[in-house]
């Protein structure tokens, strides 16, 4: 493929789309599919994970790459002519922290490539108007940035009234008609809208039967997170910034990561007004608040607030969860009250259940393989939960993983074949990684 366009050339094309969107705010763009050509699909293929689970056609990335140019040309022709048929997604279920199971949709590899190409175009358009309050599945943004902004906002306001927003089964109930109406305000390209419509109506294969949901977008799809951001940008972000905040008496801010949102208010009356109107706002778009998981709570430094009767909150300092962390007020090393974060109890319990199940299933595998796999799991845990102030929780996680490893090694042969003294000798040869705060502010190499 000598002379093929480079990723830099594709980036230039995406920059042109973004510039056009920025120069035409509020105008529906009608000529976007023209940017998707064979080179664009080639770059979409490069950006698509090659080690993901296979879809309903059982085709792997290697199978598709065997005739990459021919397959991409066929894909382009079908997408542009309207003859592309979106295959059903294969549904699997993964456990959630509350005991329920989350459905995940797995598209075919070819579908992932085309979804990636459309996502690249739409991302270039919408990144020009998305607000700073959203962090989920956006280029250059992360959950850790959302957590840091939330902490800094709480510190600046010296606490506040926290409204934990939980939308009930958002990805399962997203209204297709409302989504199309929101998309058409900015995108009126027939090719792209037709493809998105096909993906929304693609069937779901589960237990050998194909169903066709009339609402929702499958989690796990390449395009789904962006569609969720486009939808919630109008429903929550833009509404909060331009309609809610100007009418408040005090300060307030919103932090959203996908459908996980937290609103913080400096005044109780503002928080309660929004709490009352929020269900009505969501209902306009076919969404519902989860009554048990949505709550309003006063989170102030000790001694700075006394709740009193009739407030609906406790007088003592409280805490709240977001993105797997419990947020609460605590003393710093210098003795000041600061917002601290630690792994939430539900997330810690869920992670340990997963490790215990893994150790049980693989207790007869070679020790060197078990050690390597557990080390990867620990590094992954530290990579997310290893933040400043969370050393106790990640150290406990390592200790609990160690206990579960010993427990199931002790049952892989004769009863009592791996008592603690023997396991401690084994650890000298196969030590588990030490608990390290990867994102600590005290580490020069910590991630921003």
């Amino acid at each position: 493929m000598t002379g093929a366009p480079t990723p830099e050339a594709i980036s230039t094309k995406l920059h042109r789309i973004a510039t056009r969107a920025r120069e035409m705010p509020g105008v529906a763009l009608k000529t976007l599919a023209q940017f998707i050509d064979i080179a664009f699909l080639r770059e979409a293929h490069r950006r698509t994970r090659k080690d993901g689970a296979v879809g309903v056609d059982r085709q792997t990335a290697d199978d598709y790459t065997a005739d990459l140019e021919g397959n991409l040309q066929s894909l382009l022709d079908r997408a542009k002519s309207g003859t592309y048929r979106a295959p059903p997604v294969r549904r699997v279920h993964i456990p959630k922290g509350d005991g329920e199971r989350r459905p995940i949709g797995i598209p075919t590899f070819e579908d992932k490539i085309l979804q990636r190409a459309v996502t690249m175009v739409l991302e270039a358009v919408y990144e020009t108007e998305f607000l700073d309050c959203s962090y989920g599945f956006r280029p250059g943004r992360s959950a850790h940035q959302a957590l840091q902004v939330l902490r800094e906002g709480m510190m600046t306001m010296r606490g506040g009234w926290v409204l934990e927003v939980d939308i009930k089964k958002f990805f399962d109930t997203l209204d297709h008609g409302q989504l199309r109406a929101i998309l058409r305000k900015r995108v009126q390209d027939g090719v792209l809208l037709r493809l998105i419509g096909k993906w929304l109506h693609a069937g779901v294969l589960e237990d050998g039967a194909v169903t066709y949901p009339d609402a929702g977008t499958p989690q796990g799809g390449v395009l789904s997170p962006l569609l969720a951001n486009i939808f919630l940008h109008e429903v929550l972000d833009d509404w909060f910034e331009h309609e809610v905040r100007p009418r408040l008496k005090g300060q307030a801010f919103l932090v959203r990561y996908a459908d996980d949102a937290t609103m913080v208010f400096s005044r109780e009356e503002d928080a309660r007004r929004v709490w009352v109107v929020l269900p009505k706002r969501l209902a306009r778009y076919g969404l519902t608040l989860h009554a048990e998981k949505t709550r309003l709570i006063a989170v102030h430094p000790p001694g700075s607030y006394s709740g009193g009767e009739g407030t609906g909150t406790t007088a003592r300092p409280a805490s709240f969860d977001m993105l797997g962390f419990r947020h609460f007020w605590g003393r710093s090393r210098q003795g000041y009250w600061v917002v601290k974060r630690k792994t939430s109890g539900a997330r810690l319990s869920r992670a340990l259940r997963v490790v215990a199940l893994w150790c049980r299933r693989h207790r007869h595998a070679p020790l060197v393989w078990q050690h390597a796999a557990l080390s990867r799991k620990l590094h992954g845990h530290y990579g997310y939960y290893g933040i400043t102030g969370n050393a106790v929780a990640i150290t406990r996680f390592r200790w609990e993983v160690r206990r579960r490893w010993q427990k199931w090694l002790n049952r892989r042969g004769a009863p009592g074949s791996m008592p603690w003294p023997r396991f401690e000798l084994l650890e000298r040869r196969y030590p588990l990684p030490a608990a390290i705060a990867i994102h600590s502010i005290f580490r020069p190499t910590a991630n921003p």
Side-chain angles (χ1 to χ4, degrees), residues 391-409:
V392 172
I394 61 174
T395 300
R396 180 190 168 191
F397 181 75
R398 181 188 182 277
W399 185 76
E400 294 286 357
V401 168
R402 181 171 170 264
R403 281 187 57 211
R404 284 152 178 77
W405 194 23
Q406 183 273 338
K407 171 184 175 179
W408 289 106
L409 287 180

Side-chain angles (χ1 to χ4, degrees), residues 288-423:
T288 307
L289 278 179
H290 197 300
E292 297 179 358
K293 296 181 180 180
T294 299
R295 62 174 186 159
L296 180 64
I297 186 168
V299 185
H300 296 85
S304 66
Y305 171 78
S306 57
E309 295 295 330
T311 63
T313 65
T314 58
R316 63 183 181 181
S319 60
F320 66 96
D321 289 355
M322 186 177 184
L323 296 177
F325 287 90
R326 174 67 52 85
H327 299 70
F328 61 99
W329 285 93
R331 294 281 190 182
S332 69
R333 293 181 179 179
Q334 292 75 32
Y336 302 110
W337 286 109
V338 297
V339 174
K340 293 189 171 184
R341 289 84 53 87
K342 65 178 180 180
T343 310
S344 71
R347 289 292 185 92
L348 182 61
S349 298
R350 181 174 70 182
L352 289 174
R353 284 198 299 270
V354 170
V355 169
L357 181 61
W358 185 93
C359 289
R360 177 185 177 184
R361 287 177 174 174
H362 298 93
R363 63 186 183 273
H364 296 294
L367 289 177
V368 63
W369 183 84
Q370 289 190 45
H371 172 257
L374 287 174
S375 296
R376 288 193 297 271
K377 293 180 185 297
L378 284 169
H379 282 306
H381 189 87
Y382 304 155
Y384 184 76
Y385 293 102
I387 65 173
T388 302
N390 198 33
V392 172
I394 61 174
T395 300
R396 180 190 168 191
F397 181 75
R398 181 188 182 277
W399 185 76
E400 294 286 357
V401 168
R402 181 171 170 264
R403 281 187 57 211
R404 284 152 178 77
W405 194 23
Q406 183 273 338
K407 171 184 175 179
W408 289 106
L409 287 180
N410 196 37
R411 300 184 181 187
R412 78 183 213 153
S417 59
M418 185 63 71
W420 275 104
R422 185 178 176 186
F423 180 77

Side-chain angles (χ1 to χ4, degrees), residues 77-92:
D77 294 341
R78 285 177 283 139
K80 292 293 183 73
S81 66
T83 59
Y84 179 79
R85 297 183 62 183
V89 297
R90 184 169 65 88
R91 175 171 285 175
V92 297

